[in-house]
Amino acid sequence: MTTTNFFFFIATLLLSCHILAGAAGDFVRPIDRSLLGLNREEKVSHFKLYWHDIVSGENPTSIDVVPPTNKVNTTTKFGVINIMDNPLTLGPKLSSKLVGRAQGFYASTGQTEADLLLAMNFAFVEGKYNGSTITILGRNPIFHQERELAVIGGSGLFRFAKGYALLNTYWVDPKSGGTIVEYNVYVIHY
Ligand SMILES: *[C@@H]1O[C@H](CO)[C@@H](O)[C@H](O)[C@H]1NC(C)=O
Ligand SMILES: *[C@@H]1O[C@H](CO)[C@@H](O)[C@H](O)[C@H]1NC(C)=O
């Protein structure tokens, strides 16, 4: 191999490594923040609304789809899973203005205390927020005065959202166990 050939060989080798590395990395690349509107200043929004967990009557919005397990002896309904499509209203009355729906599930995940794992999207239907969502996930020890859940993301106007929700029980139906919960949600978004 002459010196020229040798350098040509090395150059080709380096070039092909570069092309291969480039091809492998093509599915992810850095982009400018401004293309996603992230150069704008963050906004902080406070939502106050009421979440209606209607578990009985003609039109329940929250249904237990998995019954409690009999494999452990608890009083916490451990293992129960409820799927919900609950109204979110401006005031505490169900007849007040509907601003969205809470769609998701809660599961009883405490064996010694009534703890729920809540995973749900708030799908807004009101004004400019119509069609946008925020996603809430967290632990809800239902007998505590105030509970705090995380806002872990969102869509539409709430892309890149993060924050938290404070829950206070407003009313409990002693017969059915249905509840109205006040939500104060604080969200950072763009
Ligand atoms: C469940 O626990 C309660 C209270 O600790 C007890 O009285 C009951 O006998 C237990 N039931 C079963 C099926 O073990
Ligand atoms: C929200 O958006 C849906 C679908 O685009 C539309 O049908 C509905 O009328 C809108 N609601 C309000 C209150 O603007």
Side-chain angles (χ1 to χ4, degrees):
M1 197 182 275
T2 65
T3 316
T4 321
N5 275 351
F6 177 71
F7 280 118
F8 182 71
F9 170 74
I10 294 293
T12 312
L13 193 68
L14 287 176
L15 189 65
S16 48
C17 287
H18 184 74
I19 289 169
L20 283 176
D26 265 357
F27 75 99
V28 52
R29 65 195 168 93
I31 61 164
D32 197 290
R33 297 171 73 85
S34 62
L35 290 172
L36 301 181
L38 294 176
N39 51 335
R40 291 193 297 256
E41 207 184 329
E42 287 175 340
K43 295 187 204 46
V44 186
S45 300
H46 170 207
F47 300 77
K48 181 175 176 175
L49 28 83
Y50 292 84
W51 178 95
H52 300 261
D53 197 44
I54 305 164
V55 297
S56 63
E58 299 235 311
N59 297 302
T61 61
S62 179
I63 317 252
D64 53 334
V65 292
V66 176
T69 175
N70 57 10
K71 290 182 183 159
V72 288
N73 183 9
T74 73
T75 56
T76 61
K77 295 192 175 176
F78 184 70
V80 168
I81 297 177
N82 257 65
I83 303 284
M84 69 176 115
D85 183 5
N86 284 351
L88 295 168
T89 59
L90 215 49
K93 286 205 175 107
L94 187 56
S95 57
S96 80
K97 190 171 180 56
L98 182 80
V99 293
R101 306 196 70 89
Q103 298 176 332
F105 70 87
Y106 54 82
S108 175
T109 49
Q111 288 204 9
T112 55
E113 191 187 13
D115 292 330
L116 301 180
L117 165 72
L118 242 70
M120 62 191 167
N121 295 309
F122 278 11
F124 295 101
V125 296
E126 176 56 21
K128 68 172 179 174
Y129 299 110
N130 189 11
S132 293
T133 64
I134 56 176
T135 301
I136 293 178
L137 181 73
R139 173 174 178 260
N140 181 7
I142 56 173
F143 293 121
H144 291 197
Q145 174 63 39
E146 187 168 74
R147 292 87 71 190
E148 180 175 334
L149 277 62
V151 173
I152 59 167
S155 70
L157 289 178
F158 301 113
R159 287 175 179 170
F160 295 105
K162 58 189 172 189
Y164 63 97
L166 297 178
L167 284 61
N168 280 279
T169 302
Y170 178 82
W171 180 77
V172 181
D173 180 348
K175 256 203 264 167
S176 72
T179 55
I180 301 173
V181 179
E182 183 187 290
Y183 274 68
N184 281 284
V185 189
Y186 300 89
V187 182
I188 293 178
H189 58 106
Y190 287 90

